[in-house]
Amino acid sequence: MQDNGLVTLSQIIYDFCGLRFADRLPTLREKVSKRLTELGISHMEYCQYLKRSPREWDVLIELLTINETYFYREENQLNECCSYVLSLVKRKTRNRPIRIWSAACSSGEEPYTLAMLIQETGKFLPGSVEIVATDINKKVLRKAETGWYHHGSFAFRRTPENLLKKYFTDIDGGYQINASIRKMIKFQYLNLLEHDKVSQLAEVDIIFCRNVLIYFDQETTKRVIRSLHQNLAVGGYLFLGHAESITDMTLGFKKVDSDKTFYYRKESDRDETVQSISG
């Protein structure tokens, strides 16, 4: 017999953040079972609890989201951005800092890696590149802000030894990322489905939104991509995960292929554009 409370819970989760559990109800049940036992309530009662206590969403999001990440993940994209794309953007933004948005940044490895690679180029003065890093999970954001990672963390599985020594300090059983890197990044909470709050980020030149769309259905993906499109400067660049594609969507982006990776360039400032993405 179907649990109507679980079905209702899956729907309000979908409405809130786009995560789809309608066809994965056993997975959702497993993720929330311990919390419901702690509260002593049913799935349907939990739906009402979320309405009465909005802060419970923070707890629920921690249970639902996957925060598997590490430094230098999908390194070809990172190198393409920092060795080539940034130079293209720099020509257009001579009178202001370049702005990079790391969407769904998790515990901070992606934006910190970008900051380190930018410093490694030697082409950018302090303050000439700003990185805003956002996530819907407030717990991982707090971790990201500390810039401290345990010695045994999988976060370092791909980190070159020379950069580990150069940009981290060994302290308290872990590695603390240096202040020169931390000050390049501003971390903040953001739900990618809240269009009005996304638009408050203002215009950015490069967006990394990797390994996020794989958790969304097509309609939610379109909503998110439209928001990213709106915040991206004309001629700006969007990096998605290698397993993600917006090739068949007509959302104003053109696919760019390089030797080792691919990404997208914003071609229009109109959300209603009918230009299809090249495949």
Side-chain angles (χ1 to χ4, degrees):
M1 183 175 178
Q2 191 175 55
D3 184 335
N4 291 331
L6 191 62
V7 173
T8 302
L9 180 59
S10 73
Q11 183 61 49
I12 65 174
I13 290 170
Y14 177 78
D15 293 341
F16 179 75
C17 63
L19 295 177
R20 186 173 180 83
F21 287 98
D23 54 352
R24 297 186 297 133
L25 292 178
T27 299
L28 177 58
R29 179 184 289 108
E30 181 179 354
K31 285 179 177 291
V32 302
S33 62
K34 183 177 179 181
R35 180 59 177 164
L36 267 61
T37 299
E38 290 173 352
L39 295 172
I41 57 180
S42 67
H43 293 114
M44 189 63 78
E45 289 169 333
Y46 191 57
C47 295
Q48 297 302 315
Y49 185 70
L50 286 166
K51 293 179 181 179
R52 296 194 308 270
S53 307
R55 290 186 179 181
E56 178 65 20
W57 276 107
D58 296 341
V59 177
L60 181 56
I61 290 298
E62 289 177 20
L63 298 175
L64 299 179
T65 53
I66 299 172
N67 298 292
E68 168 83 17
T69 187
Y70 49 90
F71 293 102
Y72 294 88
R73 187 177 187 179
E74 296 183 10
E75 189 174 350
N76 289 335
Q77 285 190 334
L78 299 167
N79 288 333
E80 179 78 8
C81 176
C82 296
S83 65
Y84 177 65
V85 171
L86 273 173
S87 297
L88 298 179
V89 174
K90 186 178 181 181
R91 298 172 190 171
K92 301 188 302 179
T93 59
R94 294 181 179 178
N95 298 321
R96 65 168 177 84
I98 296 172
R99 302 192 73 232
I100 301 175
W101 176 17
S102 172
C105 69
S106 187
S107 45
E109 287 87 340
E110 177 178 270
Y112 283 136
T113 301
L114 285 166
M116 287 186 283
L117 288 174
I118 289 166
Q119 285 207 8
E120 281 296 291
T121 68
K123 298 178 180 179
F124 300 92
L125 296 173
S128 63
V129 179
E130 300 174 351
I131 302 173
V132 58
T134 68
D135 203 276
I136 195 173
N137 187 324
K138 294 180 180 179
K139 182 177 181 179
V140 295
L141 280 174
R142 290 192 294 270
K143 174 178 174 57
E145 286 180 321
T146 69
W148 183 91
Y149 302 86
H150 193 276
H151 281 157
S153 172
F154 283 114
F156 297 109
R157 69 184 78 171
R158 296 291 299 276
T159 309
E161 187 66 26
N162 64 313
L163 297 185
L164 185 61
K165 292 179 179 178
K166 184 174 182 179
Y167 292 110
F168 293 84
T169 300
D170 193 331
I171 184 172
D172 295 333
Y175 296 107
Q176 172 77 58
I177 198 155
N178 295 348
S180 63
I181 298 298
R182 295 205 309 275
K183 71 181 182 181
M184 293 176 64
I185 304 166
K186 178 183 178 181
F187 291 99
Q188 66 184 73
Y189 168 84
L190 186 67
N191 181 346
L192 291 176
L193 263 61
E194 294 184 313
H195 179 76
D196 291 344
K197 293 183 179 179
V198 171
S199 64
Q200 291 174 15
L201 286 179
E203 192 172 77
V204 295
D205 303 293
I206 299 170
I207 298 175
F208 277 79
C209 186
R210 304 190 297 173
N211 306 306
V212 178
L213 303 183
I214 55 176
Y215 299 106
F216 297 150
D217 62 15
Q218 187 175 63
E219 286 306 307
T220 303
T221 294
K222 287 182 177 180
R223 284 181 61 186
V224 171
I225 292 297
R226 288 191 184 104
S227 288
L228 301 184
H229 183 276
Q230 182 173 324
N231 280 73
L232 192 60
V234 174
Y237 296 89
L238 170 65
F239 289 83
L240 302 176
H242 285 152
E244 299 166 320
S245 174
I246 53 174
T247 299
D248 297 327
M249 300 181 188
T250 55
L251 298 170
F253 286 97
K254 181 178 180 179
K255 187 179 179 186
V256 180
D257 287 298
S258 69
D259 290 341
K260 296 182 178 180
T261 189
F262 67 90
Y263 46 100
Y264 299 91
R265 183 178 185 272
K266 178 175 175 176
E267 294 290 284
S268 169
D269 202 28
R270 297 173 298 165
D271 286 341
E272 70 274 18
T273 181
V274 295
Q275 176 183 351
S276 63
I277 303 168
S278 68

